[in-house]
């Protein structure tokens, strides 16, 4: 089939057709699209969300997803957000990282509870579409908490305006790393969300290529995150106030494990 090199007009046409229909519909566009600024302006103006990866589900398997594929999905989001942020603009089109497969136990989902929580953390942090994608007849208590946790949904409200960006521990750079940090925000009051993760050994598509095994200590300094001052830190999934931190965050994480922290600048609390 001979196709013209530029089909961007189709997205514009779909957008106009939806507007003329008078119905509320979302337009979600493909992941294999040119992300140079010229075309991204078209996608951002005419669509609601953009796929950052192909389907992540296990084809022809008895479980939903594998961890190696999740590593790929997270790195594809990293590539997406670093490209978009290089245009120096506020994101107006949400990333679609495909379905959340976090509602069921490992025998159904294909991933551990630790990995399920890491998926939910990253989809929330990225302001991605939260499409459940689980067996709704077989949800367990852990999965229900991931999907309905009030503190986590509060974070999702924040990251809808400030999707997280990667900040390598030790440098603040944006490359793929097994031991990674992310920050969403800060906003004008200094509020921010921080994710710290140990993705475990690269299973082939993670982008970082390292194979550190076991529990790792990760230290993330304020300079890495691009913030300064004193922050009250709340561990979202644990429901714990960690008190005031002045210079850094340090955490020990096993393979596939992550933490989701909600930070509030102490100056704004006075």
């Amino acid at each position: 089939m001979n196709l013209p090199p530029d089909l961007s007009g189709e997205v514009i046409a779909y957008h106009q057709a939806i507007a003329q229909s008078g119905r509320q519909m979302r337009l979600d566009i493909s992941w294999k699209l040119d992300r140079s600024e010229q075309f991204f302006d078209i996608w951002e103006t005419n669509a609601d969300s953009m796929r950052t990866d192909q389907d992540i589900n296990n084809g022809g398997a008895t479980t939903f997803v594998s961890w190696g594929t999740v590593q790929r999905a997270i790195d594809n989001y990293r590539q997406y957000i670093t490209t978009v942020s290089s245009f120096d603009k506020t994101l107006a089109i949400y990333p679609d990282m495909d379905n959340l497969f976090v509602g069921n136990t490992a025998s159904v989902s294909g991933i551990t509870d630790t990995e399920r929580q890491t998926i939910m953390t990253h989809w929330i942090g990225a302001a991605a579409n939260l499409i459940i994608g689980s067996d709704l007849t077989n949800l367990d208590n852990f999965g229900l908490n991931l999907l309905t946790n009030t503190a986590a949904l509060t974070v999702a409200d924040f990251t809808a305006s400030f999707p997280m960006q990667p900040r390598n521990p030790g440098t603040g750079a944006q490359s793929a790393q097994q031991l990674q940090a992310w920050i969403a925000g800060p906003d004008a009051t200094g509020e921010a969300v921080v994710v710290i993760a140990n993705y475990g050994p690269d299973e082939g598509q993670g982008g970082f290529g390292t194979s550190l095994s076991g529990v790792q200590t990760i230290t993330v300094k304020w300079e890495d995150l691009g913030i300064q001052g004193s922050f009250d830190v709340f561990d979202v999934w644990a429901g714990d106030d960690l008190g005031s931190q002045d210079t850094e965050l340090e955490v020990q994480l096993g393979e596939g494990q992550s933490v989701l922290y909600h930070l509030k600048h102490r100056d704004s609390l006075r």
Side-chain angles (χ1 to χ4, degrees):
M1 181 182 295
N2 294 320
L3 295 174
D6 180 359
L7 291 171
S8 59
E10 291 192 5
V11 174
I12 299 172
Y14 274 115
H15 173 78
Q16 293 174 342
I18 290 172
Q20 292 172 10
S21 74
R23 299 177 180 178
Q24 291 187 344
M25 290 183 279
R26 291 178 56 84
L27 179 57
D28 192 3
I29 57 178
S30 176
W31 68 287
K32 285 189 174 180
L33 295 175
D34 190 322
R35 294 179 189 167
S36 59
E37 188 167 9
Q38 170 192 356
F39 288 103
F40 193 83
D41 283 343
I42 296 174
W43 317 141
E44 191 173 47
T45 303
N46 292 280
D48 298 291
S49 58
M50 181 178 187
R51 281 290 291 268
T52 54
D53 194 2
Q54 58 188 302
D55 294 348
I56 68 171
N57 59 287
N58 291 329
T62 57
T63 55
F64 285 134
V65 70
S66 61
W67 184 243
T69 306
V70 174
Q71 290 180 342
R72 183 195 74 203
I74 292 171
D75 190 56
N76 275 329
Y77 169 74
R78 180 194 63 82
Q79 296 175 43
Y80 173 81
I81 198 65
T82 54
T83 297
V84 173
S85 63
S86 71
F87 303 153
D88 193 27
K89 58 174 62 178
T90 301
L91 187 67
I93 179 172
Y94 290 106
D96 179 350
M97 296 172 68
D98 202 9
N99 291 336
L100 286 164
F101 295 109
V102 302
N104 310 114
T105 61
S107 62
V108 178
S109 66
I111 48 178
T112 67
D113 287 356
T114 295
E115 292 164 347
R116 290 161 69 189
Q117 183 168 298
T118 291
I119 290 176
M120 194 69 190
T121 293
H122 282 69
W123 267 235
I124 286 175
N129 295 337
L130 301 182
I131 303 170
I132 296 176
S134 301
D135 180 354
L136 300 184
T137 69
N138 196 22
L139 299 175
D140 66 353
N141 289 334
F142 187 80
L144 281 169
N145 179 61
L146 291 177
L147 294 167
T148 63
N149 185 283
T150 302
L153 294 177
T154 298
V155 168
D157 288 338
F158 180 84
T159 57
S161 299
F162 302 94
M164 67 183 189
Q165 299 185 35
R167 292 289 185 267
N168 300 157
T171 67
Q174 296 188 309
S175 61
Q177 285 198 180
Q178 179 179 338
L179 308 180
Q180 184 65 289
W182 304 77
I183 186 168
D187 68 4
T189 69
E191 182 178 357
V193 169
V194 172
V195 173
I196 306 174
N198 172 9
Y199 300 120
D202 194 328
E203 297 187 19
Q205 303 177 89
F208 46 86
T210 57
S211 298
L212 301 174
S213 60
V215 175
Q216 302 292 323
T217 299
I218 308 174
T219 302
V220 185
K221 297 184 179 299
W222 280 184
E223 305 94 89
D224 303 333
L225 298 173
I227 58 177
Q228 59 183 352
S230 296
F231 292 85
D232 285 342
V233 180
F234 180 71
D235 186 327
V236 174
W237 294 120
D240 290 338
D241 286 310
L242 303 183
S244 176
Q245 305 295 325
D246 299 325
T247 59
E248 66 184 30
L249 296 166
E250 184 173 283
V251 63
Q252 292 186 318
L253 299 175
E255 297 173 17
Q257 189 176 10
S258 64
V259 288
L260 176 62
Y261 292 147
H262 196 171
L263 278 60
K264 293 189 177 179
H265 203 285
R266 289 190 62 80
D267 284 347
S268 68
L269 301 176
R270 294 172 181 168

